Amino acid sequence: MHPKGAARVVALILAIGVIAGFSSTYLVQAGMPGWLILLVTVLALLIPIIAATRSSQKGD
């Protein structure tokens, strides 16, 4: 994947995590299960961390 494309994907995933985190109270009121909101938020924030860790290991 092109480096700019990878940065866009990471930015999109982070944005989804932030949106899910900030809107979690509204999603709970709408009837979405709390565990699902937590799962989406944690996964969306964990993927860029893993990607950054792996890219730094490849550079060594």
Side-chain angles (χ1 to χ4, degrees):
M1 181 181 293
H2 194 270
K4 287 186 179 179
R8 288 181 181 153
V9 169
V10 169
L12 177 64
I13 292 171
L14 278 172
I16 291 169
V18 169
I19 290 168
F22 281 123
S23 64
S24 62
T25 56
Y26 302 109
L27 292 173
V28 168
Q29 287 179 346
M32 184 176 253
W35 64 268
L36 183 60
I37 297 167
L38 286 174
L39 180 69
V40 169
T41 305
V42 169
L43 283 177
L45 295 175
L46 189 62
I47 289 171
I49 293 170
I50 292 171
T53 304
R54 289 185 58 161
S55 69
S56 69
Q57 290 174 354
K58 287 183 182 178
D60 291 338

